[in-house]
Amino acid sequence: MSPDPLQERALDDLTAHLAAARFSQDSLAYFGFPENRLNTVNENSGVVNRLLSDAVQIVPGLLPDLAEDVAVSLERLGAPDKIDAYVYSHSGIQACCISLGAANGAAIMLSSGLVERLEGPERRFVIGHEIGHWAFQHYLHPDPAGAQNQGEHINALALSRAAEISAD
């Protein structure tokens, strides 16, 4: 299944718009990592099935306030509609964005603790922050835990901090 050209254009527009806001050190090359890292997300990995079995998808009929927060965030950032959002059970205030591969977009994950404690504007900020991670392809960044040596570990941590600044 090939990606929808309108979705690809929307992502290109979002990426171009956010490029000016990207933190200068949010670059694989800046910290000595190869730029040609492959997206290791398997588009047929069953991630969506797992999300649907372990989390609740945010849709207007079920979670109208959260669905509005997601819709407002996507619209403000000009993000493609290929981003779904889910709530999973966890008491902490946590969020993440998971790439589902080029054809499938992304999934934003919000913990139930975040949903319970944050108000609309705060939730929209978190959702926008997670969309930023996806738009900047931070899922391609190396995991500091997988570093081969101390220098690589320090650089991966610094790159992670730079990614957080860009996503904000």
Side-chain angles (χ1 to χ4, degrees):
M1 177 180 182
S2 63
D4 179 353
L6 292 176
Q7 293 289 333
E8 284 187 7
R9 182 170 168 229
L11 179 57
D12 290 343
D13 290 347
L14 173 63
T15 303
H17 174 73
L18 292 177
R22 187 176 204 140
F23 183 56
S24 62
Q25 295 176 10
D26 181 7
S27 161
L28 291 167
Y30 185 88
F31 291 101
F33 295 104
E35 288 283 350
N36 62 349
R37 292 177 58 89
L38 297 176
N39 181 353
T40 57
V41 176
N42 180 346
E43 294 182 19
N44 299 315
S45 66
V47 172
V48 174
N49 289 339
R50 175 125 191 244
L51 290 174
L52 292 174
S53 68
D54 293 342
V56 176
Q57 187 170 9
I58 298 172
V59 293
L62 188 58
L63 300 164
D65 292 342
L66 286 175
E68 182 178 348
D69 290 340
V70 171
V72 166
S73 299
L74 291 171
E75 182 181 339
R76 282 186 181 164
L77 292 173
D81 293 332
K82 206 83 168 136
I83 300 176
D84 293 322
Y86 299 84
V87 176
Y88 65 97
S89 180
H90 189 281
S91 61
I93 298 177
Q94 298 185 4
C96 67
C97 188
I98 302 167
S99 174
L100 300 175
N104 297 318
I108 295 171
M109 303 293 300
L110 304 175
S111 68
S112 55
L114 180 147
V115 171
E116 291 171 3
R117 292 183 186 101
L118 300 184
E119 299 294 323
E122 297 164 318
R123 288 191 307 250
R124 288 190 289 275
F125 176 84
V126 170
I127 293 165
H129 175 89
E130 297 306 327
I131 292 168
H133 281 303
W134 180 70
F136 286 132
Q137 298 181 330
H138 291 152
Y139 53 86
L140 296 177
H141 287 189
D143 181 355
Q148 301 298 313
N149 57 56
Q150 187 176 13
E152 188 176 298
H153 179 75
I154 290 168
N155 285 341
L157 289 172
L159 180 59
S160 179
R161 286 189 298 275
E164 293 302 320
I165 293 169
S166 289
D168 282 348

